[in-house]
Amino acid sequence: MIKGDKGLWSFVFLFLLFPSVALCQQLTLVELNCENLFDTQHDEGKEDTEFLPEGERHWTPTKYWGKVNRIGQEILSCSDNLPDLVALIEVENDSVLKDLTRRSLLRNAGYQYLMTESKDVRGLDVAFLYQPFHFRPLCYDSFSVPLMKNMRPTRDILYVQGLCISGDTLHVFVVHSPSRYGGEKETRPYRQQVVKTLQQAMKDISKDAKIIVLGDFNDYADSPSLKRLYESGLKNITADIKGRNGSPANYRYHGEWHSLDHVLVSPSLSTKVETSYINDASFLLEEEPEYGGKRPRRSFHGFRFQQGYSDHLPLVVHFVL
């Protein structure tokens, strides 16, 4: 939710007092799948009982607050400077975002946020955090994905149009496509349905506009759903990035590294990328005994709680606008 107008006046003040600041700005963007960031309360009509104190995972307030602070720590570790924009995947509701931005390690960071309220069966949504001194939302919306036969309700696509302090207008779309559970081929049409919805949402935006599409696509860079977006003119600026500590991708399954998360931009923004990388800080990784090497340190290994972070590593992009 956008809170108050204090940020607006501060934003205008900076433009008036320091007009030269609008000439060049480094903008840091982070994308992170939080892996089941649920609170401990039941949301009516949602399949979230697994993450309740009496549920299978015994999701107590202690575990919850530990997870919230670890997600905050993970975001802070992404860059030497505080990230300006953060796209979050797998967050349950507004209460979780309030706790993350107001009562966690991020409480002094000043983040404000927007999020969807979709019909996802488990109650998970996507969210967008922003620094009000560097980015001012002008409008926002969410787009529901039309259901296909045998397709469960999935996450809405979050759209935010906003103004950077550099004077650039950004169009940001945050996506969380259906998983591959049930088979990649069998579920492929569901992810393509998300892309069709996204393309429809973008059709009225100028081709010269600065567009960012990011999130967990549950597909690889060469998958059909991503190829459709390339045909729309978007460029995947994270397709070949590596971790600063050598991780070849941001997700590991059965000993194999792949990236399910991506950041795509319009041609007008692709030339503004300064650096991009995976945040594979050592504390976000653990040994994988069965296959050898390292893997992301997730919150649960099976049903055993291990005080981890997420099964996805964050993507980080630095733009110079």
Side-chain angles (χ1 to χ4, degrees):
M1 310 295 175
I2 300 178
K3 318 282 187 178
D5 290 326
K6 183 178 179 181
L8 172 61
W9 291 114
S10 300
F11 193 72
V12 172
F13 176 76
L14 284 175
F15 269 119
L16 295 176
L17 190 59
F18 302 111
S20 61
V21 79
L23 297 178
C24 184
Q25 178 204 6
Q26 185 185 76
L27 190 78
T28 300
L29 172 72
V30 168
E31 186 276 345
L32 170 62
N33 184 320
C34 299
E35 191 197 14
N36 296 321
L37 186 52
F38 285 92
D39 63 16
T40 60
Q41 306 296 316
H42 174 55
D43 281 1
E44 189 67 31
K46 302 298 183 180
E47 297 178 5
D48 62 357
T49 55
E50 180 182 350
F51 284 90
L52 295 177
E54 65 276 13
E56 293 177 283
R57 297 189 184 275
H58 304 288
W59 192 241
T60 62
T62 299
K63 291 178 180 177
Y64 166 69
W65 282 108
K67 170 87 172 184
V68 168
N69 274 310
R70 283 188 289 275
I71 293 298
Q73 179 188 9
E74 189 167 6
I75 292 171
L76 292 172
S77 71
C78 284
S79 174
D80 293 336
N81 300 318
L82 191 67
D84 302 293
L85 308 175
V86 182
L88 297 179
I89 315 300
E90 292 196 13
V91 290
E92 187 182 18
N93 51 38
D94 185 72
S95 296
V96 169
L97 266 295
K98 284 181 180 178
D99 288 340
L100 180 64
T101 57
R102 302 292 182 264
R103 304 176 67 187
S104 78
L105 292 176
L106 293 179
R107 62 186 176 274
N108 294 323
Y111 283 117
Q112 297 187 22
Y113 64 87
L114 300 163
M115 71 178 302
T116 56
E117 294 181 7
S118 61
K119 295 181 180 180
D120 177 71
V121 175
R122 299 178 65 214
L124 289 173
D125 282 288
V126 301
F128 180 74
L129 276 57
Y130 61 92
Q131 282 287 331
F133 288 113
H134 293 162
F135 181 85
R136 178 68 183 176
L138 301 174
C139 64
Y140 68 98
D141 203 349
S142 62
F143 299 93
S144 298
V145 179
L147 296 182
M148 305 173 67
K149 184 179 179 180
N150 299 323
M151 180 181 177
R152 303 201 318 172
T154 190
R155 282 72 55 175
D156 290 354
I157 298 170
L158 176 63
Y159 167 64
V160 183
Q161 178 185 350
L163 184 67
C164 297
I165 199 170
S166 62
D168 295 280
T169 298
L170 297 183
H171 301 264
V172 183
F173 294 86
V174 186
V175 175
H176 185 194
S177 296
S179 75
R180 296 181 168 210
Y181 182 77
E184 187 279 326
K185 185 176 181 180
E186 291 75 10
T187 58
R188 185 184 302 171
Y190 307 155
R191 292 184 291 281
Q192 292 180 325
Q193 182 78 333
V194 172
V195 169
K196 290 179 184 178
T197 305
L198 179 61
Q199 290 174 318
Q200 183 67 20
M202 292 191 298
K203 70 180 180 65
D204 292 328
I205 300 176
S206 167
K207 293 183 179 180
D208 297 327
K210 294 179 172 61
I211 301 172
I212 302 174
V213 177
L214 75 168
D216 180 356
F217 291 82
N218 272 306
D219 264 336
Y220 307 144
D222 59 354
S223 296
S225 66
L226 272 297
K227 288 181 178 179
R228 290 181 68 113
L229 291 175
Y230 306 154
E231 292 169 359
S232 297
L234 297 177
K235 181 178 180 181
N236 192 337
I237 57 173
T238 57
D240 301 313
I241 63 173
K242 310 296 182 186
R244 289 188 289 187
N245 289 320
S247 297
N250 83 319
Y251 180 81
R252 199 176 198 217
Y253 181 70
H254 287 177
E256 295 186 0
W257 283 98
H258 297 284
S259 283
L260 300 174
D261 302 72
H262 306 277
V263 179
L264 292 81
V265 301
S266 56
S268 58
L269 256 185
S270 63
T271 58
K272 306 297 183 182
V273 177
E274 183 180 50
T275 58
S276 57
Y277 53 86
I278 297 167
N279 178 17
D280 59 347
S282 58
F283 70 89
L284 298 176
L285 301 170
E286 65 179 3
E287 297 291 336
E288 186 168 24
E290 185 175 359
Y291 299 100
K294 301 277 189 177
R295 66 184 175 195
R297 182 178 178 84
R298 59 192 306 173
S299 296
F300 285 88
H301 183 66
F303 280 85
R304 178 174 59 84
F305 182 65
Q306 58 175 16
Q307 296 185 343
Y309 296 81
S310 173
D311 56 347
H312 294 237
L313 296 172
L315 306 181
V316 186
V317 181
H318 295 290
F319 296 96
V320 175
L321 302 177

